[in-house]
Amino acid sequence: QVQLVEHGGGSVQAGGSLRVSCKFSGSVFYMAWFRQAPGKEREGVAATNIITGTIDYADSVKGRFTISRDNAENTLYLQMNSLKPEDTAMYYCAADRRLMSRTNLYLSPTSYTYWGQGTQVTVSS
């Protein structure tokens, strides 16, 4: 059984940095970070194919966010730099075991079966 637990959200001023983490258990092939702001749809932020190492980012965070994984600690990270007020959202860790035939599926919420409870990130201007 796959379990995901996020940590590390908080509040920061624009231009600052935060790192969120996701402790996971169980065997998965894909892991990702999503976010959802009030009144908006859940959107993919960053994702990784654990087997091939392929990574994909949403255009809105490229160059500012970095997804990484510590296999020894079974932990997925999202390092967020140069944060903007529009990055404010609940951030969710997601994982799945099913094969994704195209990279553009990595950031689709429907590609993932397992979800964490979320951690809030608030960026003030």
Side-chain angles (χ1 to χ4, degrees):
Q1 184 174 353
V2 176
Q3 292 186 324
L4 308 171
V5 180
E6 298 99 334
H7 296 284
S11 297
V12 66
Q13 288 191 326
S17 298
L18 276 176
R19 188 176 75 164
V20 292
S21 62
C22 172
K23 184 81 170 178
F24 64 91
S25 61
S27 177
V28 295
F29 297 149
Y30 302 88
M31 295 196 73
W33 287 99
F34 288 80
R35 66 186 182 188
Q36 188 166 19
K40 294 189 176 181
E41 293 186 353
R42 189 168 297 191
E43 64 168 339
V45 174
T48 180
N49 178 326
I50 292 176
I51 305 301
T52 67
T54 302
I55 289 174
D56 196 21
Y57 294 98
D59 288 343
S60 59
V61 305
K62 280 180 181 175
R64 300 189 299 123
F65 290 13
T66 302
I67 187 172
S68 63
R69 193 177 76 251
D70 183 332
N71 291 332
E73 296 293 329
N74 277 7
T75 302
L76 183 75
Y77 297 100
L78 183 68
Q79 177 66 44
M80 302 179 287
N81 298 328
S82 301
L83 282 160
K84 304 174 181 180
E86 52 263 44
D87 294 318
T88 295
M90 186 72 79
Y91 282 71
Y92 297 91
C93 176
D96 207 275
R97 298 186 179 117
R98 297 170 295 176
L99 175 67
M100 297 185 198
S101 56
R102 303 188 307 274
T103 304
N104 63 3
L105 294 174
Y106 288 12
L107 295 178
S108 172
T110 59
S111 298
Y112 295 87
T113 302
Y114 306 101
W115 293 85
Q117 82 286 353
T119 185
Q120 179 68 36
V121 171
T122 302
V123 185
S124 57
S125 57

